[in-house]
Amino acid sequence: MAGAGGGLHFDTLAAHAGAPSDTVGGAHPTVQPIVTASSFWYESADTLDRVLGGEEPGYVYARYANPTVRALEEAVAALEQAAGAVAFASGMAAIQAAVGLFAQRPGDTLFVSEDCYGGTYTLVASILAEQGLRVRFVDLFDLPQLEFRLAAEHPKALLFEVLTNPLQRVVDATAVVEAAHRAGAGVVIDATFSPPPIFQGLRLGADVVVHSATKYLGGHGDVTAGVAACGDPARAAELHTAGKLTGAVLGPHEAYLVLRGIRTLGLRVERQSATALSLAHALCADARIERVYYPGLPGDPGHAGAGRLFRGGAAGGVLSFAIRGADRERVLRTLERFRLVRPAPTLGDCLSLVLYPVIASHRGLTPEQRAQRGIHDNILRFSAGLEDPRDLLADLDRALG
Ligand code: PLP
């Protein structure tokens, strides 16, 4: 990413972005302090007045702005090459706020990819639909049909993920963003599975990119957080107001953890992508495996798309595989045989994690809906951590029995 953020490369930016600007006793701390104060005061009442009135930058109340959270937001803005970024209490809060920039009035139409994260599906289909949004699920792999529906239904926004969960299909994000914009829709990309070392949605033309920072950005399995980055500073300001008024803001301790995670983001994602690729190759050659879903594999239907969209063709740390002839019972017993890999429902951690979509991410879908999406009962999703791939392979071998 030469040229990003004033000519710096990604790993340099990740190490430095959001560096503290305030001094402590006249000295410059090298890392951002965790500022826990919920309110701030000034010697001068005139200054307080101006800060409260928004005429002068400053801190008055932690829900409005906090230095540790601000540092994280600056770092995310730098990594996404955004005009501004806003941190939220979770990925879900970031998604809700980002969609609200475009579609929030009763009758507004919102297009959502039918392959979206289960929590997003439930949020839009229940709460947002009940508030009056016309929520419509769309198939992003049928571009002519998408274009037809965009022209016919005039959505205010389109929300999608570039790598679908759990099958890791690669959406032609460039074409989808262009089609949505031609129809006048705002575009929100949830890039949780495709973090900025490999993908930058704003450069592609998306209006907002959101992340569950609980995943790769935090990266250590110890924080719940969300971020939204915008190309347009006015939208970033609007998002900030939304966070301030709904109260879905991130706390300073959490912001610190995500900021610390960001320092090693490039290294982690590079290693996790390499591990995922080597595991994918090994699983392809294993007779116990029916199919491997990973766009890093040359034979995968998403391989060419990943090559176009993702830096260096790296396809991220998540792969899925179908165990030959396994039913639900056998998959559950497989989960119990892992000794190293944890059967925990998240991704992007230092620890490798395995998830059974049928009982976790896609539990809310009927068996027919899952079958329609190709999410069969014998599929497991695997998120590569930072362990030695040889130990992971040995654990997979043990679990497959
Ligand atoms: N988006 C995606 C793609 C996810 O996988 C998740 C959670 O798994 C979320 C959003 C929600 O993030 P959070 O749990 O931080 O609210």
Side-chain angles (χ1 to χ4, degrees):
M1 194 201 301
L8 297 177
H9 293 79
F10 186 86
D11 285 339
T12 313
L13 268 183
H16 286 266
S21 48
D22 298 330
T23 54
V24 179
H28 294 275
T30 52
V31 295
Q32 175 60 47
I34 303 173
V35 179
T36 55
S38 51
S39 62
F40 302 79
W41 63 279
Y42 296 85
E43 302 278 355
S44 153
D46 291 329
T47 307
L48 176 64
D49 182 30
R50 284 195 299 276
V51 173
L52 278 170
E55 295 144 39
E56 190 175 313
Y59 300 103
V60 274
Y61 189 58
R63 179 161 50 78
Y64 301 176
N66 166 282
T68 318
V69 176
R70 183 60 61 79
L72 167 64
E73 292 172 339
E74 283 170 9
V76 171
L79 299 189
E80 290 288 2
Q81 296 190 257
V86 180
F88 289 90
S90 66
M92 294 307 295
I95 291 170
Q96 179 164 15
V99 164
L101 286 174
F102 305 96
Q104 57 176 315
R105 290 186 181 73
D108 284 354
T109 299
L110 170 66
F111 275 13
V112 182
S113 161
E114 60 185 24
D115 282 309
C116 67
Y117 164 60
T120 302
Y121 186 95
T122 312
L123 167 72
V124 298
S126 59
I127 295 181
L128 298 192
E130 279 157 22
Q131 286 171 353
L133 287 197
R134 294 176 67 247
V135 175
R136 300 290 179 260
F137 293 99
V138 286
D139 177 2
L140 300 185
F141 293 94
D142 183 347
L143 271 175
Q145 171 74 355
L146 174 69
E147 293 200 339
F148 174 79
R149 292 190 59 182
L150 282 164
E153 300 177 52
H154 303 295
K156 297 275 187 195
L158 166 66
L159 167 66
F160 72 97
E161 294 156 35
V162 175
L163 276 171
T164 70
N165 179 24
L167 301 184
Q168 304 301 291
R169 295 169 79 199
V170 182
V171 170
D172 184 349
T174 311
V176 168
V177 170
E178 279 171 16
H181 279 167
R182 272 198 303 278
V187 176
V188 179
I189 294 184
D190 177 345
T192 298
F193 277 69
S194 52
I198 60 171
F199 175 78
Q200 288 168 311
L202 298 179
R203 277 160 65 101
L204 221 74
D207 298 290
V208 187
V209 168
V210 297
H211 291 273
S212 165
T214 314
K215 313 296 189 306
Y216 285 104
L217 270 56
H220 293 71
D222 53 8
V223 64
T224 298
V227 292
C230 305
D232 175 350
R235 286 217 178 94
E238 237 185 284
L239 267 185
H240 183 250
T241 304
K244 178 173 152 182
L245 295 180
T246 60
V249 292
L250 191 65
H253 293 91
E254 287 79 7
Y256 174 78
L257 287 172
V258 179
L259 189 56
R260 189 170 65 166
I262 281 176
R263 301 297 179 225
T264 55
L265 181 62
L267 293 175
R268 285 187 285 107
V269 173
E270 189 180 323
R271 170 66 180 260
Q272 286 160 323
S273 295
T275 298
L277 182 60
S278 71
L279 295 181
H281 277 299
L283 289 169
C284 278
D286 192 316
R288 293 166 295 184
I289 300 301
E290 181 185 306
R291 179 163 174 194
V292 179
Y293 304 83
Y294 186 63
L297 288 171
D300 189 272
H303 189 65
R308 279 193 301 273
L309 279 186
F310 301 145
R311 188 164 316 110
V318 178
L319 65 143
S320 291
F321 53 89
I323 306 172
R324 193 177 300 283
D327 58 8
R328 180 189 167 102
E329 180 58 22
R330 205 175 120 202
V331 176
L332 290 174
R333 301 290 78 82
T334 304
L335 280 183
E336 289 169 349
R337 282 194 294 270
F338 282 102
R339 287 288 163 268
L340 204 53
V341 177
R342 300 296 179 212
T346 187
L347 64 126
D349 269 28
C350 294
L351 296 179
S352 289
L353 305 168
V354 63
L355 172 138
Y356 187 23
V358 166
I359 64 161
S361 55
H362 293 74
R363 191 185 185 102
L365 270 58
T366 62
E368 294 72 34
Q369 285 171 322
R370 282 197 298 267
Q372 207 182 6
R373 289 167 170 74
I375 304 168
H376 306 298
D377 282 5
N378 62 343
I379 290 179
L380 281 178
R381 185 186 88 186
F382 190 98
S383 167
L386 298 179
E387 303 92 338
D388 189 307
R390 291 169 296 189
D391 295 328
L392 295 175
L393 258 184
D395 207 30
L396 273 163
D397 183 48
R398 177 173 29 236
L400 289 168

